[in-house]
């Protein structure tokens, strides 16, 4: 593969992860190209979420390294990894249920503007108009502007996911990791989310997306890696992957999809 | 104004007015009435309202915002008290150097204890803080006797250096000559109001730190602390390093406690190790929860409530009960007094325990939640005449509080 002239944002280099005797990930090599949407698909238990957790620093790999823009991520704390420009949407919505929707979106913006810690206990939250305006703007984009003052805990699951997406987008990350961004959404909400993600793609944001919904994968992905049993069994353009017999056997054929 | 929104400015002004008028409205019964014993407008009690108000305000910054329950805040209270008494011994009876030292020393203590305790969360954090506080208490009793005067407690002796002491200077705590235990008594009809220097000194400090804590609550820092309470992990993935935020909150709240401890010694120039005992740490937890942790006013009301009823209930003894129930037939009277007496006087903690259980089970939001419920019921009863009132009711329930 002639990846040398392309701009690779993230290198996953020979990553292994074992839990006790279980090989959750083995020989994982991935190259994520700038501006592209890279989907990782695979049956349940294939190691998709483990791979994301290794990238964001929640898990450290048993062997191998993850390199982002020339920086080795292995051994860095989650907040340091985020500060380098990697944001993540979780599989089950991870939000601040006691804060308002607007405040949920403002919190990551402070991390982006002020760094991982700032002693700002004398400044007024009300006067952070730049961050508030941006948060309102992004809430508009995801369709939650009208609900900005409600308790985030009171949102529906689909709305929570969209809010979490807004929490990531406000940071303008260089790499956005999406762990099943449309799980638990209605067909209508799924389509709105796809449209939104396509809009971000036009802005040139790099994304890694884990998804079960093939409709979502084939409408968004530029490239697909298929994970099964902790190994990458196929990689390529959506059409290549769709017609790959190994993939059909391991995933598409084995399941009812 | 002052970096606050209009609503908060109004809130602050209301708090200032109430605090300054405390000697008047805590004296609702004329001296001649039999209810005069329920008056709370005497200096000693009012000072305690303000001081424990400061203590619990600081505790609330940690517990109310971040949800980290410290069971060792009395250690900082004790450090504050010892600092002030030491300044009396070394310099003179001016309270200012001692209070400054109290805040600095408790800050240093909190930095150390917080740094170690915050390596864990939840119950382990609570146990670590409790262990540190009990260690401090035992050290104050034994190893550090040269510093703390052990069991006897620390106080000023005639042979202490008191290098700044000049001829004719007050021999009790004062602020540049304003003696803390001096009071002006004003009689209006049958009412006697006591305006005490010590109370106003503590009240003004309480107002200043209330303002500071209001600013903290309304700052991005305060918002991040609230976010830590519900999902600390998510904040880490959002690029925020939660450790220094937690440590800062811990140190600020320790400094509040140190200031409160210093003020205790500023009102009464002696202190002992029992101020650091775990019961004192537990008391501030009760105050915060009883009043409503996480709200601005709740914990302060909780502190006032506990200190007031502690005082009133301790005063009620058997003879007072006989007075009250004297109108009952003899047998019934003895029975009623037999039932009530374990809950008053020395048994006040029994009442407090029952009350605490009721609050935690039925009103987990404390006094503030109870007050909002009552206001809500009142509004609903009168609220059928237009949509405008409903609007204001819903704005009161906004999460920004």
């Amino acid at each position: 593969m002639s990846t040398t002239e392309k701009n690779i944002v993230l290198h996953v280099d020979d990553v292994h992860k074992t839990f006790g005797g279980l090989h959750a990930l083995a020989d994982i090599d991935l190259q994520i190209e700038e501006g592209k949407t890279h989907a990782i698909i695979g049956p349940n238990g294939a190691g998709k979420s483990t791979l994301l957790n290794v990238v964001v620093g929640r898990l450290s790999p048993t062997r191998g390294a993850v390199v982002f823009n020339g920086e080795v991520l292995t051994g860095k704390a989650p907040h340091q990894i985020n500060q380098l420009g990697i944001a993540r949407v979780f599989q089950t919505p991870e939000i601040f249920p006691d804060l308002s929707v607007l405040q949920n979106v403002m919190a990551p913006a402070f991390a982006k503007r002020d760094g991982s810690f700032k002693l700002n206990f004398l400044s007024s939250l009300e006067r952070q108009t730049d961050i508030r305006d941006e948060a309102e703007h992004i809430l508009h984009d995801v369709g939650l502007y009208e609900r900005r003052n409600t308790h985030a805990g009171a949102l529906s699951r689909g709305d929570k996911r969209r809010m979490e997406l807004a929490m990531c987008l406000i940071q303008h990350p260089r790499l956005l990791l999406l762990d099943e961004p449309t799980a638990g959404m209605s067909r209508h909400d799924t389509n709105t989310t796809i449209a939104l993600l396509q809009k971000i793609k036009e802005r040139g944001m790099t994304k890694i997306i884990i998804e079960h919904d093939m409709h979502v994968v084939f409408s968004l992905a530029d490239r697909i890696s298929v994970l099964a049993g902790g190994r990458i069994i196929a990689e390529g353009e959506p059409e290549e992957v769709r017609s790959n017999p190994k993939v059909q056997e391991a995933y598409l054929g084995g399941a009812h999809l | 104004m002052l970096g606050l929104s209009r609503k908060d400015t109004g809130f602050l002004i209301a708090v200032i007015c109430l605090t300054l008028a405390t000697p008047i409205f805590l004296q609702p019964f004329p001296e001649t009435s039999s209810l005069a014993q329920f008056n709370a407008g005497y200096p000693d009690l009012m000072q305690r309202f303000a001081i424990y108000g400061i203590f619990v305000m600081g505790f609330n910054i940690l517990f109310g915002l971040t949800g980290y329950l410290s069971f060792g805040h009395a250690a900082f209270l004790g450090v504050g008290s010892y600092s002030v008494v030491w300044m009396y011994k070394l310099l003179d009876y001016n309270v200012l150097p001692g209070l400054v030292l109290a805040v600095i020393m408790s800050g240093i203590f909190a930095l150390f204890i917080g740094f170690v305790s915050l390596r864990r969360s939840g119950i382990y954090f609570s146990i670590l803080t409790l262990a540190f506080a009990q260690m401090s208490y035992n050290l104050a009793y034994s190893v550090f006797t040269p510093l703390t005067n052990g069991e006897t407690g620390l106080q000023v002796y005639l042979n202490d250096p008191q290098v700044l002491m000049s001829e004719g200077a007050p021999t009790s705590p004062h602020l540049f000559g304003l003696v803390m235990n001096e009071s002006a008594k004003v009689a209006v009809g049958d009412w006697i109001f006591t305006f005490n220097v010590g109370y106003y000194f503590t009240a003004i400090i309480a107002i200043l730190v209330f303002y500071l804590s209001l600013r903290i609550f309304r700052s991005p820092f305060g918002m991040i602390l609230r976010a830590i309470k519900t999902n600390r992990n998510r904040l880490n993935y959002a690029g925020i390093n939660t450790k220094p935020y937690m440590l800062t909150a811990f140190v600020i709240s320790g400094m509040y406690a140190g200031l409160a401890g210093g003020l205790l010694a500023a009102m009464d120039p002696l202190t002992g190790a029992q101020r650091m005992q775990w019961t004192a740490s537990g008391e501030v937890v009760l105050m915060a929860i009883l009043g409503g942790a996480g709200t601005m006013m709740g914990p302060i009301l909780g502190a006032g409530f506990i200190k007031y009823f502690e005082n009133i209930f301790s005063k009620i003894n058997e003879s007072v009960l006989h007075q009250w129930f004297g109108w009952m037939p003899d047998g019934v009277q003895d029975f009623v007094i037999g039932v009530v007496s374990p809950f008053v006087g020395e048994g006040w903690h029994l009442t407090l325990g029952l009350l605490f259980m009721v609050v935690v089970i039925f009103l987990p939001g404390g006094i503030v939640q109870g007050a909002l419920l009552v206001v809500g019921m009142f509004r609903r009863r009168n609220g059928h005449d237009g949509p405008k009132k409903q609007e204001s009711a819903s704005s009161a329930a906004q999460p920004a509080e």
Side-chain angles (χ1 to χ4, degrees), chain A residues 142-173:
Chain A
V142 299
L144 285 173
Y145 180 74
E146 274 70 36
R147 309 205 61 187
R148 64 192 182 283
N149 285 328
T150 36
H151 257 126
L155 293 180
S156 72
R157 197 180 152 93
D159 282 348
K160 279 181 189 162
R161 300 193 133 267
R162 282 193 288 178
M163 184 184 78
E164 209 190 349
L165 190 59
M167 289 162 73
C168 289
L169 292 182
I170 199 167
Q171 294 191 316
H172 302 290

Side-chain angles (χ1 to χ4, degrees), chain B residues 357-393:
Chain B
M357 280 195 270
V358 171
V359 166
V360 168
I361 294 170
F362 296 106
L363 280 179
I367 297 175
V368 165
Q369 190 196 3
L372 286 177
L373 274 179
V374 171
V375 171
M377 274 193 305
F378 189 72
R379 277 208 176 132
R380 233 170 292 137
R381 196 168 292 169
N382 304 319
H384 292 296
D385 42 36
K388 208 177 170 190
K389 278 189 179 164
Q390 273 183 337
E391 209 175 282
S392 61

